[in-house]
Amino acid sequence: MNIMGIVNVTPNSFSDGGKFLDPRAAIDHGRELIAAGATILDIGGESTRPGAEPVAAQEEWGRIADVVAQLSGEVPVSVDTYHASTARRAVEAGAAIVNDVTGGQGDPDMFSTVAELGCDYVLQHGRGNARTMNGLASYDDIVGEVRSELLASRDAAVAAGIKAESIILDPGLGFAKVGEQDWEVLRGLGAFLGEGHRVLVGHSRKRFLANVAVDDERDVATATISAFIADSVWAVRVHNVAATATAINVAHMLKGN
């Protein structure tokens, strides 16, 4: 399984906003994550936390351009963006993956751009945008509905020319999901594993962990989930790579892997 380390080149990300806004600080942080065990880095220039305001594509690219160009020569890089122009620039600069939290809904040119680029594409489930998604978190059967909506987006992506084998599914924890709903999706993760696609889970430090994290130790909760699902998914997306790598190593030792 891959550990995707998060590099937020933003002033307002929910967990570490502003810490790595300077490109040199972001590059150094990326290298620290690689040393800790990250096999992929996910680099983003816009916060998509609930309530966050959008950032213009030009400003987004200005934040991450040097970071993508430098780190993509050291490890596979994913660019966290819903802007097709940023996706194109990042892949041309060396990125191997486009991670789109809107599942193609944020930019009508995204699917055709990814199809042309031929890169891997993380297709995430969500509803609405950062300002509206919490109000759209209403489901009768959350696992079934998230699965069907995600596969409908998958079908649209394939119809637009993206190769099925290039698509990585992400059930979108925290995106139009609140509290217990995220736990339900995690418990039903098997529903997303039999579609012939790799699966990415992004649970790191998210709000739903607060009810199990003593003294708000969300990195411990994150690492524990990572260890539980390590044998099932293609990758986990985390802030604290060392904690997750340690938890996975312990699980493997106990299983005799």
Side-chain angles (χ1 to χ4, degrees):
M1 186 196 70
N2 289 290
I3 301 176
M4 180 183 282
I6 299 168
V7 181
N8 287 320
V9 194
T10 62
N12 59 338
S13 289
F14 79 92
S15 177
D16 56 6
K19 292 180 67 175
F20 311 112
L21 184 58
D22 177 77
R24 175 49 55 187
I27 291 167
D28 289 345
H29 181 58
R31 288 173 173 157
E32 290 171 356
L33 295 179
I34 295 168
T39 53
I40 303 168
L41 292 180
D42 190 48
I43 300 170
E46 175 179 344
S47 172
T48 51
R49 63 175 174 79
E53 292 298 319
V55 174
Q58 189 65 29
E59 181 178 355
E60 176 190 41
W61 177 242
R63 292 175 179 176
I64 67 173
D66 292 344
V67 185
V68 171
Q70 182 62 52
L71 292 175
S72 61
E74 302 177 27
V75 71
V77 159
S78 165
V79 60
D80 182 355
T81 186
Y82 59 85
H83 293 116
S85 61
T86 301
R88 179 180 296 280
R89 286 171 159 176
V91 172
E92 290 174 350
I97 305 167
V98 173
N99 181 12
D100 179 4
V101 301
T102 74
Q105 302 303 304
D107 188 330
D109 295 326
M110 181 61 89
F111 283 170
S112 60
T113 297
V114 171
E116 179 185 343
L117 293 170
C119 59
D120 280 349
Y121 180 62
V122 178
L123 181 68
Q124 181 182 289
H125 175 270
R127 291 176 175 175
N129 56 40
R131 275 79 58 206
T132 63
M133 60 184 175
N134 282 352
L136 299 173
S138 178
Y139 305 87
D140 293 320
D141 170 15
I142 186 167
V143 174
E145 290 174 53
V146 169
R147 178 181 178 277
S148 64
E149 291 171 17
L150 190 56
L151 293 181
S153 296
R154 184 275 314 272
D155 291 345
V158 171
I162 300 177
K163 295 179 180 178
E165 58 268 27
S166 297
I167 295 174
I168 300 158
L169 300 180
D170 181 345
L173 298 176
F175 286 79
K177 302 165 194 71
V178 294
E180 179 64 22
Q181 292 175 335
D182 292 297
W183 290 108
E184 290 181 50
V185 171
L186 276 173
R187 294 185 197 109
L189 197 57
F192 304 92
L193 300 176
E195 298 300 326
H197 300 283
R198 292 163 287 173
V199 172
L200 168 70
V201 173
H203 53 300
S204 186
R205 296 179 180 171
K206 291 189 174 177
R207 291 172 299 166
F208 75 97
L209 300 177
N211 66 341
V212 298
V214 177
D215 291 333
D216 208 29
E217 282 289 346
R218 296 191 195 185
D219 283 345
V220 176
T222 298
T224 303
I225 292 171
S226 298
F228 265 94
I229 66 177
D231 292 337
S232 301
V233 302
W234 169 74
V236 290
R237 180 182 181 274
V238 300
H239 297 85
N240 189 330
V241 169
T244 278
T246 298
I248 291 171
N249 289 341
V250 169
H252 285 168
M253 288 298 289
L254 289 172
K255 295 174 183 176
N257 292 352

